Amino acid sequence: MNTLIPSSNHYLCGVHYPFFSSVLTNNNTNLPIRRSPFPIPCATSNEEFSEEIKVVQPNSSEENTSTTFSTPIDKELKRVAQKTAATFAPRASTASKNPAIPGSTLYTVFEVQAYVSMLLGGALSFNLIFPSDQPDIWRLMGMWSIWMFTIPSLRARDCSKNEKEALNYLFLLVPLLNVAIPFFWKSFAVVWSADIIAFFGMYAWKLGWLKKTD
């Protein structure tokens, strides 16, 4: 007995395609082929294909956002550091232009004052000047010398933008170190040493001391 099996093409659009396919019988006779007078509609149009492709393709804007998500955080951190340092750290005495420009006498005075206070603070922290068996004001001042004298003196100069950012960060970082470290290690010398490491580490990062030059 001859039977008819319906078949259709799912993806060929606008093409007259057999609505019924013929099936061979035992006597190798074929039934007449019936053709549909209208093209078989597509189950998936070109617009749907384009939408599927858009879904599969990665979103480049999301990738750019994920790679640069740290930029707003960095800008916000810079803004907070600059605002805090500008509020509490000493500023230039003149309202127009900072006279402590590179090469001037005032610039040199501030720079020498900064590094002399750093070395003097180290000597006090290591109990080399005014030695004492007990914690005293001199050793405490030595521990805080970088924050009280070195950073403000360097910041009072007319320095570059990267150096100013490094000093702004240090103005916030050094107090955190000086308060947190004594909870774990009660030593003026250790605190001063940590401040020195943070100082030169911040300068190396902001001024690019460790970057390789071609």
Side-chain angles (χ1 to χ4, degrees), residues 150-180:
T150 302
I151 295 174
S153 297
L154 294 175
R155 197 175 177 280
R157 305 167 305 150
D158 185 15
C159 54
S160 64
K161 179 182 177 181
N162 290 336
E163 186 177 2
K164 183 63 69 68
E165 288 181 359
L167 293 170
N168 289 342
Y169 282 134
L170 287 170
F171 190 77
L172 301 179
L173 178 61
V174 170
L176 296 178
L177 294 175
N178 291 6
V179 172

Side-chain angles (χ1 to χ4, degrees), residues 107-151:
Y107 185 95
T108 304
V109 169
F110 282 141
E111 200 165 32
V112 171
Q113 175 181 311
Y115 292 107
V116 168
S117 63
M118 178 185 293
L119 296 176
L120 186 61
L124 290 171
S125 298
F126 279 89
N127 207 18
L128 300 178
I129 303 177
F130 307 119
S132 174
D133 296 334
Q134 300 295 329
D136 55 12
I137 188 63
W138 296 109
R139 301 181 72 183
L140 184 64
M141 287 185 62
M143 185 184 74
W144 285 92
S145 61
I146 295 177
W147 186 76
M148 290 190 300
F149 303 107
T150 302
I151 295 174

